[in-house]
Amino acid sequence: MLRTIREQIETVFREDPAARSTLEILLCYPGLHAILLHRLSHRLYRWAIPLLPRLISQFSRWITGIEIHPGARIGRRFFIDHGMGVVIGETTEIGDDVLLYQGVTLGGTGKECGKRHPTVGNHVVIGTGAKVLGNIVIGDGSRIGAGSVVVHPVPPGSTVVGIPGKVVRRRAEADRTESDDDLEHGKLPDPEGQAIAELRDRVGKLEQLVRALTESSTLTK
């Protein structure tokens, strides 16, 4: 347990430049509190102990604003930045070195039984307010932009933005674990804006063509 706490503290220092000291992290980081309480509740859940895992989960939600079902499987060095409003469903599986921002939902799409929540690979970053829904796989090294709604599988090394989420960029396998390639929301492509700009440009060219044809027809009369 002490090794887990030490590793989580090191993860906070690595991911959050605002972290100043170990004591500050232990006392003031709800993401750390939520993941440590989840480690406990998940272990009790696997031991098939009734009720207590859910009580721990609800207590964690009350003090952190982060809801993680005890059944969710979460890998090492998982970090939730700020965390308020994060929801992680029962059959969610999360790999190692995953970063979530506030308001993220890893949820289902209905009342189906069995595996109904996402599987998130290693080195994935999911931006503020993003929703990843259903039994889909988010490939290793992928980035989900803020506010995106993802309902289809995402190939490894992809950057996804929009509603519904669309792949706007793919990275080579060698670059998928680079920490300096995290989401820069001010630089993300805007596929809808690009499509509108292309349509506007095409309409402008068609107007010029029509104008030229009209003038040519007028001169020949």
Side-chain angles (χ1 to χ4, degrees), residues 186-209:
K187 298 181 180 179
L188 286 177
D190 179 6
E192 286 80 11
Q194 291 173 357
I196 292 171
E198 290 172 2
L199 286 172
R200 187 184 298 115
D201 183 60
R202 186 173 181 84
V203 168
K205 291 179 180 179
L206 288 172
E207 288 177 342
Q208 291 177 2
L209 179 59

Side-chain angles (χ1 to χ4, degrees), residues 39 73-78 93-99 119-124 140:
R39 301 291 188 201
R73 299 180 182 180
I74 299 177
R76 297 173 61 185
R77 297 176 296 278
F78 178 57
E93 298 179 26
I94 299 175
D96 298 333
D97 301 291
V98 172
L99 171 61
T119 297
V120 179
N122 302 321
H123 302 282
V124 172
D140 293 350

Side-chain angles (χ1 to χ4, degrees), residues 19-115:
R20 295 291 182 266
S21 68
T22 298
L23 183 61
E24 179 185 57
I25 292 172
L26 287 172
L27 295 177
C28 303
Y29 275 71
L32 174 67
H33 304 153
I35 190 59
L36 293 179
L37 286 169
H38 172 72
R39 301 291 188 201
L40 173 60
S41 68
H42 180 66
R43 181 169 297 184
L44 297 175
Y45 181 88
R46 291 180 60 190
W47 290 345
I49 295 177
L51 187 58
L52 184 57
R54 288 303 302 270
L55 289 176
I56 294 172
S57 173
Q58 289 302 301
F59 173 73
S60 176
R61 177 188 179 189
W62 177 56
I63 65 170
T64 67
I66 299 168
E67 181 175 343
I68 308 176
H69 192 283
R73 299 180 182 180
I74 299 177
R76 297 173 61 185
R77 297 176 296 278
F78 178 57
F79 180 50
I80 303 175
D81 195 1
H82 296 291
M84 180 62 69
V86 167
V87 177
I88 300 175
E90 178 183 13
T91 60
T92 300
E93 298 179 26
I94 299 175
D96 298 333
D97 301 291
V98 172
L99 171 61
L100 265 60
Y101 289 92
Q102 65 269 24
V104 168
T105 297
L106 304 179
T109 58
K111 297 181 180 180
E112 66 271 19
C113 297
K115 184 72 167 75

Side-chain angles (χ1 to χ4, degrees), residues 85 103-107 126-133 144-145 147-151:
V104 168
T105 297
L106 304 179
I126 304 182
T128 302
K131 313 301 177 186
V132 183
L133 307 175
I144 310 299
S148 301
V149 177
V150 183
V151 293

